[in-house]
Amino acid sequence: MGTSIPGIRGRNLPALQDAPRIPFSKAAPRDYKQELRKYYGAAGQVIGHAKAGEVQLQIGNSGDGPNVLKDGAMYRYEREMNLAHFRDLMRIFKHSATSPTAKLTLPEFKSAFSVVLGQELTEDQMTALFMKVDANMDEAIDWDEFSTFMLLRAQGQTTMMEQAEMRLLEPDPRISRGKGREEVVRIWWVDKWARIVSCARDGGVGFWTEGGKLSRWGWCGKDCDKDAVLTPHTNPSSKTQRWVHDFVPLPMLNKLALATDDHMITFYDATTLDTTHTMHLPSTIPLSIDFHPSTNPLIPDILLYGTDTGQVTVLPMPALPTAHTVQQLSLPKPLFRKNIHGDWVSQVRYLDDLRAVVSVSHDENESIVLLPFLTNGAIGRSTSVGVRKGCSCFEFLRSPLALVTGGADRQLRIWDPHHLQRPSACLPGHNAPIVSMSVNVVHAQVISLSVDQVMKVWDIRKQQCLQSLSALSVTVLYSLPSKVVAATPASMLLHNYQEPPSNACNVKSHPAAVRGALWNDLFDAVVSGCDGGVVHVWDVMTGQKTFRFENAHGKTEITAMTFDAGKRRLITGGRDGTIHIFNFNNGQLLQTLLKYDASEVTGIIYTTHRALPHILTTGWNRLLSIFADNVGTDAGEVFPTAQYPTYHSDDVLCIACWRGTVVTGSWNGEVVWRELCPSPTGGVLAAATVGGSIDRVMFVRAYNDTVILLSCGGEGILRIWDVTRYEVSWEVDGAKNEGDGVAAICTNSPAIDGDHQSGSIQVKAPLIMSGDSSGWIRIWALETDATLTPIKTFRGHLRGISSVDYVNLAGIDGVVSGGVDCTVRLFTVFGDFIGTFGQPDPWDVTVTHTYLKSGKKPADVAMADRELEEQVIQDEADEHFGEVSRKSITASLQGRSAHTPPKTADLLRNPYPPTAFASSLYARQVLRKPLHHHYNRRAVLPPMHGSGPGGIFHQLEPFPLADVNTILPPIEVIKR
């Protein structure tokens, strides 16, 4: 009977009797270029068969496919497509296309796609797919366009998922103080004891909880005392200094085995740390030691060690009889003993997955040696390989199957343990020799430590360095599933893996400050870009990320963004002066626009001039560059058709265009109006200078089809310009706080039809949305007299807002904002907070309770508001008690009480009279509710009822003392 191998379908192989059990590894990192070549090779064969009429289209729908009525995903085709479907579609492209260029129109594409994948796909889904593929907007797609789109999108989504699953370490570790003085040589995690066990060179052993708390500590050979303060630098149980080279716990025997420089392997009781047994090695010094409990009754437990002479010895574990005195053990007959290295052994371990002993050394000829165990317990023929400068440490991964080594040559090498002839990959990155390594099997990561105290996290699947951290005084590493433990002589450092944000305060939409967030009504998506060069595509219905691509401009920032007229392409400008055109649905770079210099691009607009589409750019070069948008050409690089001076005396920051009139604004407040004409000299219509920088200019369609120009800038003033007289007709302070600037504006023009109500707000005019440098968003109504009326103000971010855009989806009028705080957020125009893009819990814009369940403010903004309110109340309380103190001191010096005692008749009428402070602001806002301090007590005690011999008990209202930092003014003393 054959044996079915996972991952290989439809094949049966003969049963493997005595072969060692080797876990299957995951696929190696994908070579997409090689896959693309193979794919097109197979596609060419299919085309050849199609020409000969040998291909027959298989039409048949599987009955166990997903129910699209229940599966609301818009991207089902991405999950269902396989190579067979691609071949069928290629045949259809070849034989069903009516045009001579073998292109499919939208109706033909819908028909072909429904045949291949079934009738369940909706018309909207197939139309959206067609428009995503047809980025050049010629209303037809060929096979090259379709296959390139699908392959690049699949690659991008795979990368996006890997980025989402990538786990990095927190840079700031949790520090747990210990009692050691010497460097730690090894760390182990023992499941049976549920403890991290560390051992230092002087024999100091520490037992730590998984959270890093020290539970026990002591020197081997001396009673363990957690609270003892041991100051000597030598082991107090020994008269001579002994150095520990390595140790291994034996949890089944409740022992610790230490390899020391006095030719000894010593066994200690793990509870008392008393010496129980010793093993003398007369001619060698053990440098590395390991223990493996056998699960095969025919094979004994083994103890293995490597020495300073390059010898590796594998012993059956000797019996450790219980005795009241230290017993000297005789060496049992070794299973293997041989000098397999020409230098000392750096590390030796038994790997049960390989059923082999692996040893590494600094010997350049025999750096790595693998000794396989046979089924009868004997050791077979060894395999070895040399490495320049040798190896000092190694680790083993089950998935992917790899042996990772590091040494003095500062490179991480990845080996296939079954083929040690040459490494699979060499990963440079360290600047000093690698001395320690640890592996996280959950995330397939290797953490390495070098002599210069730098710790690096490596992804073995992708074969790249993910993170570099400083590791001062760290000597050895050990990985747990959720953290990395690093040991220093006096402490234990715990680097936890960064968890996905569990609360809304920690959600970040981008890894860097957001530069732009644009609403795309064609695909119901928001496209955002950041200073890190990363572009995200978000589903507005749910707030989840649907696509991601990075390095939009290499290693430089994105500085400007816009869409083309059809909103199928994204045009970005970079700090390096390049302009790129992307199909943002799959990250494909369609064209690069070059403007002859490397100055930063600050403004991009897409316009039509004389019935031809053009792209206008400007920036720090103070030039207006005009590019013809030739979507039908395959030119990879495009140069401007013309460049005109902008006549600014400082860097240009923004640009707007309407009916051949171009307006630019600069850093020093200059606004220049000019004509977009082919004349090299251009035609300047007007120029004006206002205070502060001009960050945005925008033409807005107002009432009666009139057009105005709106500008904003660093001084926070919103200005409305008359487009016929080229002058400011009205202005208003657009920032919430004095001194803030307004860097982002947008509009819903054409105007909103009908009335939109939320509370007492009614919108009957075109809306203007603005965002300032303190994170406040203001909604303005554009009135018939070309003035602005504020109708709503709310805070959307804790830091400055760099982009706002109007969103209209599912009957909801909203605004999407991007901020310097790395977040992209969605609000209604009435200030209702919908959510932060990328948050763990998706929302549904059609279901109100999915985004209003946590209030109408972002979590970080609400927390900041609460802290501000508490600070205001505390400041008022401090001021109040300072005034009361001055009055009390003055009254005391004048010889009279500050408060006249109440009369007895008043006490009888009101046994609980209010105090003199009952009407104060502090008493009304603070003392009538629990105080928020570390005592967690109420400030007002419950009333006391009853009477006593001394009179009537009444309510006492204690007031917390406040620190008065101000010095009281001198008080005039009245002499009697």
Side-chain angles (χ1 to χ4, degrees):
M1 180 177 179
T3 303
S4 178
I5 297 181
I8 303 180
R9 297 181 178 178
R11 295 185 181 182
N12 290 328
L13 300 179
L16 305 178
Q17 299 295 335
D18 298 328
R21 296 181 179 179
I22 301 175
F24 287 90
S25 64
K26 292 186 177 180
R30 298 175 61 184
D31 186 351
Y32 291 99
K33 293 183 179 179
Q34 183 177 2
E35 289 185 12
L36 195 61
R37 289 193 294 268
K38 291 181 179 179
Y39 175 75
Y40 277 110
Q45 295 179 4
V46 175
I47 292 177
H49 291 302
K51 291 180 179 180
E54 300 174 1
V55 174
Q56 301 214 357
L57 183 61
Q58 301 292 332
I59 302 177
N61 296 329
S62 175
D64 56 353
N67 187 348
V68 181
L69 296 178
K70 296 181 180 180
D71 183 7
M74 291 293 293
Y75 311 101
R76 175 176 172 261
Y77 58 86
E78 297 168 356
R79 300 194 308 269
E80 298 297 310
M81 292 293 292
N82 55 35
L83 185 58
H85 293 148
F86 270 87
R87 289 174 176 172
D88 293 342
L89 283 172
M90 183 166 40
R91 179 185 179 279
I92 294 175
F93 269 98
K94 185 65 179 177
H95 295 282
S96 299
T98 58
S99 63
T101 57
K103 289 189 175 183
L104 295 180
T105 61
L106 178 58
E108 293 172 340
F109 177 80
K110 290 181 180 180
S111 176
F113 217 78
S114 62
V115 168
V116 174
L117 281 185
Q119 301 290 338
E120 294 88 353
L121 286 177
T122 65
E123 292 286 329
D124 293 339
Q125 290 175 350
M126 288 187 287
T127 302
L129 174 60
F130 181 86
M131 290 189 295
K132 290 178 180 179
V133 177
D134 185 29
N136 57 5
M137 295 179 295
D138 60 354
E139 303 307 328
I141 60 175
D142 57 15
W143 171 248
D144 288 338
E145 285 181 296
F146 178 77
S147 59
T148 301
F149 174 84
M150 296 299 294
L151 290 175
L152 288 178
R153 184 168 179 91
Q155 177 184 357
Q157 287 194 323
T158 301
T159 304
M160 182 180 68
M161 294 176 62
E162 290 176 353
Q163 291 287 342
E165 296 173 357
M166 182 187 300
R167 302 289 298 279
L168 301 179
L169 296 175
E170 294 180 352
D172 298 325
R174 177 183 175 184
I175 303 176
S176 298
R177 299 296 178 185
K179 297 182 178 181
R181 296 295 184 269
E182 296 292 340
E183 67 179 36
V184 177
V185 297
R186 187 74 65 192
I187 304 173
W188 292 92
W189 166 260
V190 182
D191 288 326
K192 185 178 180 180
W193 301 337
R195 289 292 184 272
I196 300 171
V197 186
S198 64
C199 183
R201 286 202 310 164
D202 58 355
V205 177
F207 295 84
W208 313 72
T209 65
E210 186 177 1
K213 182 180 180 181
L214 180 63
S215 59
R216 291 192 299 133
W217 191 90
W219 274 298
C220 287
K222 179 180 176 60
D223 291 340
C224 196
D225 185 1
K226 173 183 174 182
D227 299 324
V229 179
L230 303 174
T231 56
H233 290 265
T234 59
N235 190 332
S237 63
S238 176
K239 296 181 180 180
T240 60
Q241 179 67 55
R242 295 191 309 166
W243 294 118
V244 177
H245 293 297
D246 198 2
F247 94 106
V248 62
L250 288 66
M252 304 303 294
L253 304 175
N254 197 37
K255 305 290 184 184
L256 300 176
L258 274 65
T260 56
D261 63 350
D262 57 354
H263 303 268
M264 299 286 288
I265 296 178
T266 309
F267 298 90
Y268 298 90
D269 186 281
T271 304
T272 64
L273 294 185
D274 292 334
T275 306
T276 60
H277 303 81
T278 59
M279 184 184 296
H280 183 62
L281 309 178
S283 59
T284 58
I285 297 176
L287 300 180
S288 179
I289 187 172
D290 192 22
F291 170 75
H292 173 68
S294 176
T295 57
N296 189 343
L298 301 179
I299 300 178
D301 300 342
I302 59 172
L303 181 72
L304 56 154
Y305 58 89
T307 67
D308 58 339
T309 61
Q311 180 187 99
V312 172
T313 303
V314 182
L315 300 174
M317 182 63 196
L320 302 178
T322 304
H324 298 287
T325 59
V326 178
Q327 291 190 357
Q328 177 75 32
L329 299 177
S330 59
L331 290 176
K333 182 180 179 180
L335 301 175
F336 178 86
R337 175 181 290 171
K338 186 177 180 181
N339 289 345
I340 59 177
H341 298 286
D343 204 338
W344 61 45
V345 177
S346 304
Q347 185 180 356
V348 61
R349 279 177 56 191
Y350 176 85
L351 302 178
D352 193 34
D353 297 281
L354 301 178
R355 294 189 61 188
V357 173
V358 178
S359 174
V360 297
S361 169
H362 292 282
D363 181 10
E364 294 190 359
N365 297 320
E366 306 288 341
S367 303
I368 308 172
V369 178
L370 189 143
L371 305 171
F373 267 68
L374 304 180
T375 55
N376 58 0
I379 295 181
R381 184 178 179 180
S382 64
T383 304
S384 63
V385 66
V387 176
R388 179 177 174 269
K389 296 186 179 181
C391 299
S392 58
C393 52
F394 74 91
E395 278 295 346
F396 173 75
L397 280 86
R398 296 183 178 90
S399 177
L401 187 65
L403 189 71
V404 186
T405 62
D409 65 344
R410 302 170 295 178
Q411 290 190 4
L412 223 67
R413 286 180 169 85
I414 304 175
W415 308 79
D416 183 349
H418 301 299
H419 304 282
L420 286 179
Q421 287 80 5
R422 60 181 60 87
S424 304
C426 296
L427 307 179
H430 278 288
N431 297 321
I434 301 172
V435 294
S436 181
M437 242 187 240
S438 184
V439 61
N440 187 300
V441 296
V442 176
H443 308 301
Q445 295 177 352
V446 167
I447 300 91
S448 59
L449 177 69
S450 56
V451 174
D452 58 352
Q453 298 178 339
V454 173
M455 186 168 63
K456 290 183 178 291
V457 181
W458 306 83
D459 189 314
I460 300 303
R461 292 193 181 100
K462 295 192 293 184
Q463 298 179 0
Q464 66 178 15
C465 180
L466 303 179
Q467 192 178 16
S468 297
L469 300 172
S470 175
L472 297 179
S473 304
V474 174
T475 58
V476 66
L477 303 174
Y478 191 84
S479 288
L480 295 173
S482 61
K483 59 178 69 71
V484 172
V485 182
T488 67
S491 62
M492 193 73 71
L493 310 181
L494 276 74
H495 289 269
N496 292 318
Y497 277 93
Q498 297 177 3
E499 296 291 340
S502 57
N503 58 63
C505 293
N506 300 326
V507 175
K508 300 295 182 183
S509 306
H510 276 271
V514 177
R515 181 66 65 168
L518 308 177
W519 158 242
N520 190 296
D521 57 355
L522 183 64
F523 300 112
D524 292 339
V526 167
V527 182
S528 58
C530 69
D531 285 345
V534 180
V535 176
H536 287 169
V537 182
W538 308 93
D539 183 3
V540 181
M541 292 293 295
T542 62
Q544 300 302 296
K545 183 166 48 181
T546 60
F547 195 74
R548 174 187 189 273
F549 63 94
E550 55 188 14
N551 298 324
H553 289 270
K555 296 183 179 180
T556 60
E557 301 93 328
I558 297 175
T559 55
M561 296 173 56
T562 191
F563 290 122
D564 65 349
K567 294 194 174 182
R568 301 188 189 182
R569 295 174 296 165
L570 177 69
I571 308 172
T572 62
R575 192 175 296 276
D576 58 353
T578 59
I579 301 100
H580 289 165
I581 303 177
F582 292 97
N583 182 348
F584 59 87
N585 284 299
N586 69 342
Q588 180 182 6
L589 177 60
L590 302 176
Q591 281 185 335
T592 299
L593 310 183
L594 303 175
K595 55 181 179 58
Y596 305 113
D597 61 71
S599 59
E600 178 178 332
V601 178
T602 57
I604 305 176
I605 57 173
Y606 191 95
T607 186
T608 301
H609 180 60
R610 295 180 179 176
L612 295 177
H614 289 82
I615 300 172
L616 310 183
T617 68
T618 188
W620 288 6
N621 59 1
R622 307 176 192 176
L623 296 176
L624 174 63
S625 302
I626 303 176
F627 298 87
D629 183 23
N630 300 319
V631 294
T633 63
D634 296 331
E637 295 182 351
V638 178
F639 292 90
T641 58
Q643 281 188 321
Y644 304 143
T646 58
Y647 303 101
H648 283 278
S649 59
D650 207 336
D651 296 335
V652 181
L653 302 181
C654 55
I655 184 173
C657 182
W658 174 69
R659 291 185 179 179
T661 300
V662 178
V663 178
T664 51
S666 62
W667 176 261
N668 59 353
E670 295 176 345
V671 178
V672 176
W673 304 65
R674 57 163 298 143
E675 293 180 348
L676 180 62
C677 59
S679 172
T681 59
V684 177
L685 301 175
T689 303
V690 296
S693 62
I694 303 297
D695 294 336
R696 292 289 187 274
V697 289
M698 176 180 65
F699 285 100
V700 180
R701 190 174 302 275
Y703 284 99
N704 300 324
D705 205 27
T706 59
V707 175
I708 63 171
L709 179 73
L710 183 65
S711 68
C712 67
E715 60 179 355
I717 303 297
L718 293 179
R719 293 183 174 89
I720 294 180
W721 299 71
D722 190 322
V723 297
T724 58
R725 295 183 296 177
Y726 312 118
E727 62 183 13
V728 177
S729 61
W730 191 82
E731 64 180 28
V732 65
D733 190 356
K736 175 66 168 60
N737 302 319
E738 184 179 356
D740 290 342
V742 177
I745 51 175
C746 69
T747 180
N748 69 332
S749 180
I752 301 176
D753 297 328
D755 297 340
H756 296 262
Q757 298 183 1
S758 177
S760 59
I761 300 177
Q762 294 187 357
V763 180
K764 297 183 179 180
L767 297 180
I768 303 296
M769 284 72 79
S770 64
D772 64 25
S773 56
S774 292
W776 290 87
I777 299 174
R778 306 192 78 173
I779 312 296
W780 308 79
L782 181 58
E783 305 295 348
T784 56
D785 57 351
T787 60
L788 297 178
T789 301
I791 59 175
K792 187 65 178 179
T793 301
F794 55 92
R795 193 171 191 182
H797 300 263
L798 288 182
R799 300 175 64 186
I801 295 176
S802 57
S803 173
V804 291
D805 203 0
Y806 171 74
V807 174
N808 181 268
L809 181 66
I812 296 178
D813 300 310
V815 55
V816 58
S817 62
V820 183
D821 56 358
C822 309
T823 61
V824 180
R825 287 172 173 162
L826 183 63
F827 303 84
T828 68
V829 294
F830 311 109
D832 298 331
F833 175 56
I834 295 179
T836 301
F837 287 96
Q839 67 184 33
D841 298 328
W843 65 71
D844 186 348
V845 295
T846 61
V847 182
T848 307
H849 69 81
T850 61
Y851 58 86
L852 288 184
K853 55 186 177 183
S854 59
K856 295 186 178 182
K857 292 182 180 179
D860 53 349
V861 174
M863 181 180 297
D865 290 346
R866 287 194 300 268
E867 293 177 354
L868 180 61
E869 291 174 1
E870 292 177 359
Q871 183 63 38
V872 169
I873 294 174
Q874 184 63 39
D875 292 343
E876 291 179 351
D878 293 345
E879 182 181 357
H880 169 75
F881 280 108
E883 182 65 25
V884 170
S885 299
R886 280 192 290 269
K887 290 181 180 180
S888 299
I889 294 174
T890 304
S892 299
L893 292 176
Q894 292 176 350
R896 58 184 179 85
S897 175
H899 308 290
T900 304
K903 299 180 180 180
T904 306
D906 296 332
L907 292 176
L908 293 175
R909 285 193 300 268
N910 183 13
Y912 312 113
T915 63
F917 313 126
S919 60
S920 67
L921 176 64
Y922 187 76
R924 292 197 310 269
Q925 297 188 359
V926 177
L927 299 181
R928 301 303 179 186
K929 62 181 181 179
L931 284 179
H932 299 284
H933 52 56
H934 61 279
Y935 292 110
N936 196 23
R937 298 176 181 172
R938 294 184 64 89
V940 179
L941 298 178
M944 300 176 61
H945 299 280
S947 59
I952 300 175
F953 290 98
H954 62 278
Q955 177 181 355
L956 299 178
E957 294 188 355
F959 294 86
L961 297 178
D963 294 331
V964 180
N965 298 323
T966 57
I967 301 177
L968 297 177
I971 300 174
E972 181 181 358
V973 180
I974 301 177
K975 298 182 180 180
R976 294 187 178 180

